[in-house]
Amino acid sequence: YAQTLFTARPTDKYWDGKVSEYLAIGGNFRSSATATETPNQDDEFEFDLDEALFFLEVPAIADSLTFYFDQQFAPSSSNREAVALFQFPQQSTYIKMGKFFLPHGWRLEDDTEFVRQATGLNMENPDNGVETGIVMGPANLRFAITNGTAGGGEVDTGKQFSLHSTFIYSGWQIGASANFNDAEDAERTVWAVFGGVKTGPISWLGEIDHIDDDALGPTGRKQWAAFVEANWWIQQGHNLKITYGYLDPDDDLDEDERNRYSLVYEYFPMVATQLRTGVRFNDGIPQNDAQNSDLFFVQLNGYF
């Protein structure tokens, strides 16, 4: 989509990933300049290399067996995904095994959003296991069993179970997710409902998560997280994004809620290029300066 529909200067000459019939490669590079204002602290301004990713796909048997790798080289080196994917086209089902991102809610690029940060179900915490899925008309169902250690070594016999379902129709979709991590002395249950709808030039996304940690405190801890996003497609190559995030880090405590507001302009000047600039305002408890910081950024994203 980013190479054929988003760009302000469409062209039929772009990299489609294919090196040969049995090999495809891709990459993603993000670099940004960020200014942060925090109450009672000195202002900060810095340049960052946000990520440098390389993707490799080997379709060993067409429409049946594919090997896929997602490797991060910066700002630190780590393998994000490495899977073998078995597809059964006639039954619209698949099975994959290896290391992968867990199916849960919206897969947002920004892992600092409360619905991704508080749940821990994001692109910083892939896990090892097996996943299967099936498509039945407008319904899509996925189920995964993983170690529950965020890719680390296993330490007990408990496992993490993820269930993700969506119903996709023309112009809108709705879904629900459930995640249960049966780690020893650290059980966690996460429920989510999410959806999206297109209203003219504006596309909406939303998600609500409930997180139940049995291991935190004598009676555990329950959290709520929510996210709303509106994308206004102004014209070809230009998008305005407005987001709102909400976090209640402890349902038993009053007046500890956090709110986050973002305004982001995205410009796709040419194929494989995205320029983003925006501002994020945080509203947390007055005693915590970091929860009330404001962030301004400019980011350049190149991909192929």
Side-chain angles (χ1 to χ4, degrees):
Y1 290 102
Q3 300 207 35
T4 59
L5 298 180
F6 292 172
T7 177
R9 297 178 178 86
T11 176
D12 56 358
K13 297 180 179 179
Y14 60 89
W15 175 251
D16 65 359
K18 293 183 179 179
V19 177
S20 69
E21 183 180 357
Y22 298 102
L23 179 64
I25 61 174
N28 188 44
F29 181 94
R30 294 179 186 268
S31 184
S32 63
T34 305
T36 306
E37 296 181 356
T38 304
N40 304 313
Q41 297 183 24
D42 293 336
D43 295 343
E44 296 180 0
F45 177 76
E46 62 179 337
F47 294 99
D48 289 300
L49 175 56
D50 302 309
E51 64 181 17
L53 307 174
F54 182 76
F55 315 113
L56 175 67
E57 182 185 63
V58 182
I61 303 176
D63 301 322
S64 295
L65 174 60
T66 300
F67 298 95
Y68 176 76
F69 304 90
D70 178 342
Q71 185 71 30
Q72 176 175 291
F73 290 97
S76 61
S77 179
S78 65
N79 174 249
R80 306 202 313 167
E81 288 194 294
V83 300
L85 175 66
F86 305 88
Q87 295 174 282
F88 308 94
Q90 293 181 346
Q91 292 79 30
S92 299
T93 60
Y94 73 88
I95 297 176
K96 70 179 180 183
M97 58 184 296
K99 185 178 183 180
F100 50 85
F101 302 124
L102 298 179
H104 186 86
W106 288 114
R107 183 163 290 171
L108 304 175
E109 185 276 326
D110 186 2
D111 283 337
T112 66
E113 282 293 347
F114 293 137
V115 291
R116 297 285 71 85
Q117 188 181 66
T119 62
L121 303 170
N122 52 48
M123 289 186 283
E124 293 184 353
N125 296 306
D127 207 1
N128 299 315
V130 60
E131 177 183 308
T132 184
I134 183 172
V135 177
M136 300 171 290
N140 185 315
L141 184 66
R142 290 186 283 170
F143 176 69
I145 303 176
T146 59
N147 286 333
T149 58
E154 184 58 280
V155 295
D156 56 32
T157 59
K159 290 292 176 278
Q160 183 168 217
F161 304 89
S162 302
L163 182 65
H164 183 276
S165 61
T166 57
F167 294 86
I168 304 174
Y169 300 89
S170 177
W172 65 279
Q173 68 173 284
I174 190 171
S177 296
N179 180 276
F180 175 66
N181 192 350
D182 188 22
E184 185 176 357
D185 299 327
E187 290 185 356
R188 163 175 272 214
T189 305
V190 183
W191 302 92
V193 292
F194 59 96
V197 63
K198 183 174 175 58
T199 56
I202 300 178
S203 298
W204 301 83
L205 302 178
E207 179 176 336
I208 299 176
D209 289 79
H210 181 259
I211 307 153
D212 189 350
D213 285 298
D214 288 343
L216 299 175
T219 59
R221 185 177 71 175
K222 295 177 173 60
Q223 304 180 68
W224 288 93
F227 170 79
V228 178
E229 175 180 297
N231 288 277
W232 176 25
W233 190 242
I234 303 172
Q235 66 179 46
Q236 185 75 27
H238 300 265
N239 183 65
L240 184 65
K241 182 191 302 288
I242 301 175
T243 71
Y244 168 71
Y246 170 83
L247 176 66
D248 182 355
D250 194 331
D251 200 24
D252 292 329
L253 296 179
D254 295 329
E255 299 182 357
D256 63 341
E257 295 83 0
R258 297 175 59 185
N259 298 278
R260 177 181 292 169
Y261 310 87
S262 297
L263 178 65
V264 181
Y265 166 69
E266 300 175 319
Y267 175 46
F268 300 82
M270 63 188 71
V271 167
T273 306
Q274 179 195 42
L275 179 66
R276 307 172 75 234
T277 182
V279 57
R280 167 172 286 169
F281 302 104
N282 290 282
D283 180 16
I285 60 175
Q287 300 89 335
N288 190 316
D289 292 335
Q291 290 185 10
N292 292 276
S293 63
D294 297 330
L295 181 147
F296 307 85
F297 73 92
V298 177
Q299 182 186 73
L300 181 62
N301 179 23
Y303 48 87
F304 65 94

